[in-house]
Amino acid sequence: MPSARTGPPFHMTEMIEAEPALAERILMRLAAPEGAASSLADTIRATARAGKPIIVVGCGTSEHGALAVAAILRDANRSAGLPSSPGTGGSPLAVQALEGALEPILGGPGAVVIGISHEGGTWATNRALSAARDAGATVAIITAASESPGGSVANIVISTEEMDGSWCHTVGYLSPIIAAAAIGAHVARSAIDPMVVSALLAASLSEATTKAVSAMAGELHDADRLLVVGSGSDRVAARELTLKIEEGTHLPAAMRDLETLLHGHLAGVDARTGLVLILTDPVARGARTARGLDVLRACRELGLRTGVITTPIVAEEIDPTLTPAGRILIPEAPELPDPVASLIGTAIPLQRLTERMAIARGINPDPIRRDDPRYLAAADAAG
């Protein structure tokens, strides 16, 4: 079990604990029928009806935010009877910012391109937005810094107004998810109850969940490396947990899609490998759970340190011997759209697991190793 930390809390800790109230504030600000979120929703609806591209771009944590935003907007389109199948014109999709910026045409006339950038200064994201604007697309940005370079490029600025206090971004991950929930509600002509969202987040700060997170961190912190596995909306959370583990704990980590792991990647694991399976998406739950159980059974044969982040309903199907590193349970939230419930429900658990593993490893997660001159020099060399 990780030992108790003494002294001032990490900024990461403070940010995580503030997230339920933060989410409520963002949702209330973006609910205005004449506000920027509503304006972007109108643009999305018109673009989708015309079958034009709806593209979301970002880098790093904001790339995972872009994946989450695209998933939430696809679901909103589906609820509104608009295009929502991947590959269909008018169905939102996420593109890594640099890859989008390098396209000859990004979006084009009649398209909408949405950037996710917490501080609004990521050069690749801003380059993609500038390319989209030059190509004739409507450009939007979801950011905490409306006066940033990214904000100056956009036609529509969705300002979350909530700045992170740690480079190991927690608010920077959750904020665009919350903003997307608000925008999606405008698209679908529905509503998101801020109290339901804040309660879902607060549940992950409970004593029981804290004990479960600490226990899992105690089992995983000294592994040689960590694999994180997910399917559906949980693929986004799996990617973000992978990045957080590497940034915040300095432990090598990799993300695998659920079926990809079973397609040969078990050859690279052994008893020194930790694995976290995220299994919360209610869409096609039976099929995802069945394959998730196959992963856990295979890991048991190989002696992996395996834990799961899931819901109580799914947990009932998992034999305790399949999760020696424990399980973190998040509540079901049927009042919320499926991807919103999964992405919000997993946000704090993945962040707190990172924080507790960092404590156990004696690491401050805030600077993402920029406090080491070698890594600072490497960051400078990378531009």
Side-chain angles (χ1 to χ4, degrees):
M1 294 280 289
S3 58
R5 173 176 163 79
T6 59
F10 299 132
H11 290 304
M12 182 183 185
T13 305
E14 295 172 337
M15 294 295 99
I16 293 169
E17 292 174 350
E19 286 184 334
L22 170 150
E24 193 172 329
R25 291 195 299 270
I26 293 174
L27 284 171
M28 292 177 69
R29 283 196 295 265
L30 298 185
E34 304 300 326
S38 177
S39 176
L40 178 54
D42 289 342
T43 302
I44 289 169
R45 290 175 65 89
T47 305
R49 282 195 294 268
K52 296 291 186 177
I54 300 172
I55 300 169
V56 194
V57 298
C59 280
T61 286
S62 290
E63 179 185 354
H64 304 155
L67 289 163
V69 170
I72 291 169
L73 294 181
R74 277 197 303 274
D75 183 77
N77 271 14
R78 186 176 298 110
S79 296
L82 298 168
S84 59
S85 298
T88 302
S91 177
L93 78 157
V95 175
Q96 205 283 334
L98 177 61
E99 303 307 318
L102 296 177
E103 286 293 319
I105 297 176
L106 183 61
V112 58
V113 177
I114 306 166
I116 311 300
S117 182
H118 188 59
E119 288 96 355
T122 302
W123 75 270
T125 302
N126 290 344
R127 181 173 170 179
L129 296 181
S130 295
R133 184 184 62 185
D134 293 344
T138 297
V139 172
I141 189 170
I142 299 175
T143 182
S146 57
E147 302 300 320
S148 65
S152 69
V153 175
N155 305 108
I156 302 172
V157 178
I158 308 297
S159 179
T160 63
E161 301 181 22
E162 306 284 349
M163 189 62 73
D164 227 314
S166 168
W167 283 6
C168 195
H169 285 154
T170 55
V171 172
Y173 173 66
L174 180 64
S175 293
I177 294 174
I178 300 299
I183 297 162
H186 287 296
V187 170
R189 311 286 198 213
S190 61
I192 297 287
D193 187 342
M195 298 300 293
V196 171
V197 171
S198 62
L200 179 58
L201 289 165
S204 294
L205 297 171
S206 69
E207 182 178 355
T209 304
T210 297
K211 288 181 178 178
V213 170
S214 296
M216 189 177 293
E219 294 292 331
L220 297 176
H221 77 275
D222 61 347
D224 287 345
R225 68 178 180 128
L226 187 72
L227 291 181
V228 189
V229 183
S231 177
S233 296
D234 293 325
R235 297 168 71 243
V236 180
R239 280 171 166 74
E240 180 64 5
L241 177 55
T242 299
L243 180 62
K244 286 288 165 279
I245 291 295
E246 291 200 314
E247 288 182 339
T249 78
H250 313 168
L251 180 70
M255 182 268 175
R256 294 284 181 265
D257 287 296
L258 179 59
E259 194 63 28
T260 302
L261 181 72
L262 292 167
H263 195 71
H265 285 84
L266 287 170
V269 304
D270 57 29
R272 293 293 303 162
T273 305
L275 184 142
V276 177
L277 171 64
I278 305 179
L279 201 58
T280 71
D281 192 338
V283 177
R285 173 170 278 168
R288 298 190 203 282
T289 300
R291 290 306 272 162
L293 290 171
D294 289 341
V295 166
L296 296 177
R297 282 190 283 264
C299 289
R300 180 174 59 185
E301 293 297 322
L302 296 169
L304 269 68
R305 309 174 184 195
T306 306
V308 64
I309 300 174
T310 191
T311 63
I313 291 175
V314 177
E316 291 178 358
E317 300 186 42
I318 302 174
D319 187 295
T321 65
L322 296 176
T323 54
R327 52 188 72 187
I328 300 168
L329 302 184
I330 67 169
E332 300 280 346
E335 308 94 329
L336 299 175
D338 289 337
V340 173
S342 292
L343 290 161
I344 291 176
T346 53
I348 287 182
L350 70 86
Q351 294 166 358
R352 297 195 80 201
L353 181 58
T354 300
E355 175 216 28
R356 295 303 164 114
M357 287 179 65
I359 292 172
R361 290 169 65 84
I363 292 169
N364 178 357
D366 287 333
I368 57 173
R369 220 164 189 170
R370 300 300 200 272
D371 52 347
D372 182 324
R374 297 172 301 162
Y375 288 85
L376 181 59
D380 290 341

